[in-house]
Amino acid sequence: MNKIFTLICLLVVGSNAASEPTWYRGEINRIWTYGQGDFIVTFVGNTGLSDCRHNYAYFTSADLHPEMLKSSLSVALSAYHTGETVGIVIDKDLNDDACHAAGIDLRK
């Protein structure tokens, strides 16, 4: 988990200085995969991602390194099965209303 948190911090700090990443928090309602390991997450009630296209958070190989993508899916699946809240970091200035995720973590 510490490795994931460190990677998220590096992504946030290393991003464009003009953009402001936002943490979206919620309980995962649905996860589905597509493409080459890419996946989409929705939240219970979709209120947490309401300003994202289709209320989806997209995790893609175009945005994340392969190991980060696998780790993100692992965290998402764990949270889904345990009912834990997650935080997903998204920088909408970089990728419009599609809400491409830069990372995910478990929240208390």
Side-chain angles (χ1 to χ4, degrees):
M1 271 315 151
N2 288 336
K3 187 184 284 188
I4 293 171
F5 181 74
T6 302
L7 288 171
I8 291 170
C9 288
L10 289 174
L11 287 170
V12 172
V13 172
S15 66
N16 185 340
S19 27
E20 294 185 28
T22 302
W23 283 96
Y24 290 76
R25 293 178 176 85
E27 184 180 336
I28 294 176
N29 181 47
R30 189 174 189 189
I31 302 169
W32 67 97
T33 61
Y34 67 97
Q36 297 293 320
D38 299 345
F39 66 99
I40 294 170
V41 167
T42 63
F43 286 158
V44 172
N46 288 322
T47 56
L49 296 168
S50 60
D51 64 339
C52 297
R53 185 182 313 147
H54 308 297
N55 299 317
Y56 298 167
Y58 296 86
F59 291 80
T60 68
S61 56
D63 299 308
L64 301 170
H65 295 285
E67 288 303 314
M68 184 67 171
L69 189 60
K70 288 178 192 176
S71 295
S72 296
L73 181 56
S74 178
V75 170
L77 288 168
S78 294
Y80 175 76
H81 287 289
T82 61
E84 294 291 326
T85 297
V86 297
I88 298 174
V89 67
I90 297 169
D91 189 343
K92 290 185 64 180
D93 290 342
L94 296 178
N95 51 71
D96 64 44
D97 67 342
C99 291
H100 291 260
I104 185 172
D105 73 348
L106 293 173
R107 308 299 272 184
K108 288 189 177 192

